[in-house]
Protein backbone atom coordinates (compact mmCIF):
# COMPACT_ATOMS: atom_id res chain seq x y z
CA UNK A 1 0.00 0.00 0.00
CA UNK A 2 2.87 2.34 0.72
CA UNK A 3 3.99 2.02 -2.88
CA UNK A 4 0.51 2.84 -4.17
CA UNK A 5 0.29 5.96 -2.02
CA UNK A 6 3.75 7.03 -3.08
CA UNK A 7 2.96 6.51 -6.75
CA UNK A 8 -0.31 8.36 -6.50
CA UNK A 9 1.27 11.33 -4.82
CA UNK A 10 4.08 11.37 -7.32
CA UNK A 11 1.63 11.71 -10.21
CA UNK A 12 -0.22 14.52 -8.48
CA UNK A 13 2.97 16.26 -7.39
CA UNK A 14 4.20 16.05 -10.98
CA UNK A 15 1.11 17.92 -12.14
CA UNK A 16 1.70 20.56 -9.50
CA UNK A 17 5.40 20.88 -10.29
CA UNK A 18 4.64 21.16 -14.00
CA UNK A 19 2.32 24.06 -13.25
CA UNK A 20 4.86 25.67 -10.94
CA UNK A 21 7.61 25.28 -13.53
CA UNK A 22 5.47 27.14 -16.04
CA UNK A 23 5.33 30.20 -13.77
CA UNK A 24 7.23 33.20 -15.16
CA UNK A 25 10.83 33.55 -14.05
CA UNK A 26 11.71 35.90 -11.22
CA UNK A 27 12.12 39.60 -11.80
CA UNK A 28 13.74 40.48 -15.12
CA UNK A 29 15.92 43.58 -15.43
CA UNK A 30 14.26 45.99 -17.88
CA UNK A 31 16.75 48.81 -17.35
CA UNK A 32 20.35 48.19 -16.33
CA UNK A 33 21.96 51.35 -15.00
CA UNK A 34 25.30 49.75 -14.24
CA UNK A 35 26.79 47.43 -11.62
CA UNK A 36 28.38 48.60 -8.36
CA UNK A 37 32.19 48.53 -8.40
CA UNK A 38 33.03 49.73 -4.87
CA UNK A 39 34.42 53.01 -6.19
CA UNK A 40 32.53 55.52 -4.07
CA UNK A 41 29.14 56.94 -3.09
CA UNK A 42 27.10 60.05 -3.69
CA UNK A 43 25.65 61.58 -0.51
CA UNK A 44 21.92 60.97 -0.39
CA UNK A 45 20.79 61.09 3.23
CA UNK A 46 17.55 62.98 3.98
CA UNK A 47 16.90 65.85 3.45
CA UNK A 48 19.09 65.28 0.41
CA UNK A 49 18.16 62.86 -2.37
CA UNK A 50 19.74 61.51 -5.54
CA UNK A 51 18.26 60.81 -8.96
CA UNK A 52 19.45 58.81 -11.96
CA UNK A 53 18.27 59.33 -15.53
CA UNK A 54 16.96 56.42 -17.60
CA UNK A 55 14.94 55.62 -20.71
CA UNK A 56 13.05 52.35 -21.06
CA UNK A 57 13.28 50.43 -24.32
CA UNK A 58 10.28 49.34 -26.37
CA UNK A 59 8.23 46.63 -24.67
CA UNK A 60 9.54 47.49 -21.21
CA UNK A 61 7.16 50.13 -19.91
CA UNK A 62 5.86 48.29 -16.81
CA UNK A 63 7.94 48.43 -13.62
CA UNK A 64 7.44 46.31 -10.50
CA UNK A 65 10.70 46.83 -8.63
CA UNK A 66 14.09 48.48 -8.31
CA UNK A 67 17.54 47.57 -7.03
CA UNK A 68 20.37 49.85 -5.99
CA UNK A 69 23.52 49.76 -3.88
CA UNK A 70 25.06 51.98 -1.24
CA UNK A 71 26.29 52.20 2.29
CA UNK A 72 26.55 54.13 5.54
CA UNK A 73 29.52 55.69 7.24
CA UNK A 74 30.00 54.66 9.94
CA UNK A 75 28.35 51.35 9.02
CA UNK A 76 26.43 51.08 12.30
CA UNK A 77 24.18 53.99 11.29
CA UNK A 78 22.49 51.98 8.55
CA UNK A 79 20.45 50.09 11.12
CA UNK A 80 18.66 46.83 10.35
CA UNK A 81 16.27 48.23 7.72
CA UNK A 82 16.73 51.79 6.43
CA UNK A 83 13.59 53.64 5.37
CA UNK A 84 13.55 54.76 1.72
CA UNK A 85 11.29 56.92 -0.40
CA UNK A 86 11.73 56.21 -4.10
CA UNK A 87 9.88 57.16 -7.24
CA UNK A 88 9.98 58.59 -10.74
CA UNK A 89 10.40 62.16 -11.91
CA UNK A 90 9.73 63.70 -15.30
CA UNK A 91 12.69 64.96 -17.31
CA UNK A 92 13.02 68.73 -17.61
CA UNK A 93 15.54 69.44 -20.37
CA UNK A 94 18.12 67.05 -18.97
CA UNK A 95 17.44 67.68 -15.27
CA UNK A 96 14.97 66.09 -12.82
CA UNK A 97 11.52 67.62 -13.17
CA UNK A 98 8.10 67.22 -11.57
CA UNK A 99 7.31 64.07 -9.54
CA UNK A 100 5.31 61.41 -11.38
CA UNK A 101 5.00 59.04 -8.45
CA UNK A 102 6.83 58.69 -5.14
CA UNK A 103 6.35 56.01 -2.51
CA UNK A 104 7.69 55.76 1.03
CA UNK A 105 8.42 52.04 1.09
CA UNK A 106 9.48 52.11 4.71
CA UNK A 107 11.99 49.36 5.36
CA UNK A 108 13.61 48.39 2.06
CA UNK A 109 15.21 44.99 1.65
CA UNK A 110 18.82 45.39 2.75
CA UNK A 111 21.53 42.76 2.27
CA UNK A 112 25.17 43.13 3.28
CA UNK A 113 27.41 42.07 0.39
CA UNK A 114 30.60 41.69 2.41
CA UNK A 115 32.36 44.26 0.22
CA UNK A 116 33.70 47.70 1.14
CA UNK A 117 33.04 50.83 -0.90
CA UNK A 118 36.05 53.07 -1.34
CA UNK A 119 38.68 50.69 -0.02
CA UNK A 120 39.81 50.02 3.58
CA UNK A 121 38.06 52.27 6.07
CA UNK A 122 35.26 53.04 3.62
CA UNK A 123 31.58 52.16 3.59
CA UNK A 124 30.27 48.63 4.05
CA UNK A 125 28.37 47.83 0.84
CA UNK A 126 24.69 46.91 0.95
CA UNK A 127 22.30 45.84 -1.80
CA UNK A 128 18.80 47.32 -1.61
CA UNK A 129 15.57 46.42 -3.32
CA UNK A 130 11.89 47.31 -3.28
CA UNK A 131 8.93 45.79 -5.11
CA UNK A 132 5.41 47.00 -5.82
CA UNK A 133 2.34 46.22 -7.90
CA UNK A 134 2.90 46.84 -11.63
CA UNK A 135 3.33 50.55 -12.39
CA UNK A 136 2.23 51.43 -15.93
CA UNK A 137 2.66 55.20 -15.91
CA UNK A 138 5.91 55.25 -17.90
CA UNK A 139 6.35 55.38 -21.69
CA UNK A 140 9.13 53.54 -23.51
CA UNK A 141 11.53 55.90 -25.27
CA UNK A 142 10.77 58.81 -22.93
CA UNK A 143 13.49 60.04 -20.55
CA UNK A 144 12.73 59.90 -16.82
CA UNK A 145 14.59 60.04 -13.51
CA UNK A 146 14.57 57.46 -10.72
CA UNK A 147 15.12 59.04 -7.32
CA UNK A 148 16.16 57.68 -3.92
CA UNK A 149 15.86 59.31 -0.52
CA UNK A 150 16.97 57.59 2.67
CA UNK A 151 14.77 58.82 5.50
CA UNK A 152 16.12 57.59 8.82
CA UNK A 153 19.90 57.42 9.02
CA UNK A 154 20.92 57.78 12.64
CA UNK A 155 22.47 61.09 13.82
CA UNK A 156 26.10 61.39 12.87
CA UNK A 157 25.80 58.94 10.00
CA UNK A 158 25.84 59.45 6.25
CA UNK A 159 24.09 57.28 3.68
CA UNK A 160 25.38 57.26 0.11
CA UNK A 161 24.21 55.75 -3.18
CA UNK A 162 27.00 53.73 -4.77
CA UNK A 163 28.67 54.78 -7.99
CA UNK A 164 29.36 52.67 -11.08
CA UNK A 165 31.77 52.75 -13.99
CA UNK A 166 29.48 50.72 -16.26
CA UNK A 167 26.51 53.06 -16.67
CA UNK A 168 24.92 53.29 -20.14
CA UNK A 169 26.11 56.17 -22.31
CA UNK A 170 24.20 59.34 -21.51
CA UNK A 171 23.01 58.28 -18.06
CA UNK A 172 23.18 61.18 -15.59
CA UNK A 173 23.07 61.54 -11.83
CA UNK A 174 21.74 64.47 -9.81
CA UNK A 175 21.69 65.47 -6.16
CA UNK A 176 18.96 67.47 -4.43
CA UNK A 177 19.48 69.46 -1.26
CA UNK A 178 16.40 71.11 0.23
CA UNK A 179 18.56 73.42 2.34
CA UNK A 180 20.90 74.99 -0.20
CA UNK A 181 20.62 75.62 -3.11
CA UNK A 182 17.17 73.97 -2.87
CA UNK A 183 17.46 72.50 -6.35
CA UNK A 184 18.84 69.57 -8.33
CA UNK A 185 22.50 69.67 -9.31
CA UNK A 186 23.89 67.42 -12.04
CA UNK A 187 26.80 65.43 -10.64
CA UNK A 188 29.81 63.86 -12.38
CA UNK A 189 29.22 60.48 -10.71
CA UNK A 190 27.17 57.66 -12.24
CA UNK A 191 25.03 55.60 -9.85
CA UNK A 192 24.43 51.84 -9.94
CA UNK A 193 20.80 50.74 -10.12
CA UNK A 194 18.33 48.76 -12.18
CA UNK A 195 14.59 48.56 -12.71
CA UNK A 196 12.79 45.24 -12.84
CA UNK A 197 9.55 43.65 -13.97
CA UNK A 198 8.03 40.47 -12.56
CA UNK A 199 5.30 39.06 -14.84
CA UNK A 200 1.94 38.15 -13.28
CA UNK A 201 1.00 34.48 -13.88
CA UNK A 202 -1.63 33.92 -16.57
CA UNK A 203 -5.04 32.60 -15.40
CA UNK A 204 -4.32 29.28 -17.17
CA UNK A 205 -1.16 28.85 -15.09
CA UNK A 206 -3.05 29.40 -11.86
CA UNK A 207 -5.66 26.89 -13.04
CA UNK A 208 -2.96 24.26 -13.60
CA UNK A 209 -1.58 24.86 -10.13
CA UNK A 210 -5.01 24.59 -8.53
CA UNK A 211 -5.74 21.36 -10.40
CA UNK A 212 -2.41 19.93 -9.28
CA UNK A 213 -3.09 20.78 -5.66
CA UNK A 214 -6.66 19.48 -5.91
CA UNK A 215 -5.37 16.20 -7.30
CA UNK A 216 -2.92 15.87 -4.46
CA UNK A 217 -5.65 16.46 -1.92
CA UNK A 218 -8.06 14.04 -3.62
CA UNK A 219 -5.52 11.20 -3.67
CA UNK A 220 -4.77 11.77 -0.01
CA UNK A 221 -8.51 11.68 0.72
CA UNK A 222 -8.97 8.40 -1.22
CA UNK A 223 -6.07 6.75 0.53
CA UNK A 224 -7.30 7.87 3.93
CA UNK A 225 -10.69 6.20 3.28
CA UNK A 226 -9.22 2.78 2.31
CA UNK A 227 -9.75 0.16 5.06
CA UNK A 228 -6.70 -1.11 6.88
CA UNK A 229 -5.76 -4.70 5.99
CA UNK A 230 -4.12 -7.07 8.37
CA UNK A 231 -0.80 -8.43 7.28
CA UNK A 232 -0.04 -12.08 7.93
Amino acid sequence: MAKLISAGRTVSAAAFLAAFASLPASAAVIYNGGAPDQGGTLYAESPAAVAISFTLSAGSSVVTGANWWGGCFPATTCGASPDFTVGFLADDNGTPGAPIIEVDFGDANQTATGKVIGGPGGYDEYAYSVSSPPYTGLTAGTPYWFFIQENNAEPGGTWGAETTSTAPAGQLAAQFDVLSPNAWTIMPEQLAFNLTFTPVPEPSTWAMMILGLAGLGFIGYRQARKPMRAIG
Side-chain angles (χ1 to χ4, degrees), residues 23-210:
L23 285 171
S26 58
V29 174
I30 59 173
Y31 181 82
N32 187 348
D37 51 19
Q38 298 78 55
T41 61
L42 180 60
Y43 175 75
E45 182 186 343
S46 179
V50 294
I52 314 102
S53 65
F54 70 94
T55 302
L56 296 177
S57 58
S60 302
S61 59
V62 182
V63 180
T64 59
N67 304 291
W68 65 95
W69 292 262
C72 291
F73 186 84
T76 54
T77 61
C78 266
S81 299
D83 181 326
F84 286 93
T85 295
V86 303
F88 300 114
L89 308 172
D91 180 77
D92 184 8
N93 295 316
T95 61
I100 297 174
I101 183 172
E102 56 183 77
V103 180
D104 184 346
F105 278 91
D107 294 345
N109 299 314
Q110 174 182 261
T111 303
T113 66
K115 300 177 181 178
V116 177
I117 306 170
Y123 292 62
D124 289 341
E125 182 186 75
Y126 293 90
Y128 298 93
S129 66
V130 292
S131 59
S132 68
Y135 180 68
T136 60
L138 304 178
T139 302
T142 300
Y144 298 101
W145 293 76
F146 173 71
F147 81 91
I148 309 166
Q149 180 174 330
E150 198 280 315
N151 298 320
N152 67 347
E154 297 174 15
T158 297
W159 186 84
E162 188 171 352
T163 60
T164 179
S165 58
T166 56
Q171 180 173 295
L172 301 173
Q175 184 182 49
F176 185 82
D177 190 337
V178 297
L179 301 178
S180 176
N182 196 29
W184 289 100
T185 301
I186 301 298
M187 306 298 291
E189 293 90 346
Q190 299 293 342
L191 301 178
F193 88 110
N194 61 58
L195 301 176
T196 60
F197 170 63
T198 303
V200 177
E202 296 291 336
S204 59
T205 300
W206 286 117
M208 288 177 65
M209 291 184 66
I210 292 170

Side-chain angles (χ1 to χ4, degrees), residues 4-17 19 206-224:
L4 287 175
I5 294 176
S6 177
R9 287 186 176 176
T10 299
V11 171
S12 182
F16 170 73
L17 290 174
W206 286 117
M208 288 177 65
M209 291 184 66
I210 292 170
L211 285 173
L213 287 170
L216 187 63
F218 178 70
I219 288 173
Y221 170 76
R222 286 283 302 274
Q223 295 296 339

